[in-house]
Amino acid sequence: MLLIYAEEKVYDALPPAQLAEVMAAYGALENAMLKAGVLVAGAELAPVRKARTVRIRRGQPHFTDGPFAETKEALGGYFLIDCASMDDALEWAARCPTALDGCVEVRPLASPPAA
C-alpha cells in the first residue's frame, strides 16, 4: 500500500492552476498503474479537519475531532497496488507527485485482500 502524506496547508494554498497540475499528475500516475495492471484501489481522503477519532476508555467510546497527534504531514490518500516485489512498489511510490514535497510510505499488507 502506498500511503500518501502531505502538508494540507500547502495544497490549500496552491493557486487553482497549480492544483490542477498536481491533480493531473495524480491522474497520470493512476492511469499508468491501471495500464500496468498493478492498481487494486485508491482514494483521496477528506481533510483532517473533517476526521473524527474513536477510542474506548473504561468500556465507553470517546469521540474527538481530528487525528490523535498534531502533525505537519497528514495521511491524504492511498493507492493499494499489487506488485511482484517491494522494489517494484518503491518505484511506483517514487512516481507519486507528493514524493516531491511530502512523503509516500510503502507498507506491505499483512495478508492479501479478500477477493
Side-chain angles (χ1 to χ4, degrees), residues 34-71:
L34 285 168
K35 185 176 179 181
V38 299
L39 184 62
V40 175
E44 178 181 3
L45 300 177
V48 165
R49 66 183 173 272
K50 294 186 178 187
R52 299 281 302 207
T53 299
V54 180
R55 292 179 189 78
I56 303 295
R57 299 295 182 262
R58 296 185 186 103
Q60 297 296 315
H62 293 268
F63 309 99
T64 56
D65 291 336
F68 176 69
E70 288 294 323
T71 180

Side-chain angles (χ1 to χ4, degrees), residues 55-100:
R55 292 179 189 78
I56 303 295
R57 299 295 182 262
R58 296 185 186 103
Q60 297 296 315
H62 293 268
F63 309 99
T64 56
D65 291 336
F68 176 69
E70 288 294 323
T71 180
K72 282 178 45 177
E73 294 177 335
L75 179 61
Y78 71 94
F79 287 112
L80 179 58
I81 58 176
D82 185 7
C83 295
S85 68
M86 176 59 93
D87 287 341
D88 289 347
L90 291 170
E91 287 181 26
W92 284 110
R95 295 175 63 178
C96 184
T98 301
L100 294 170

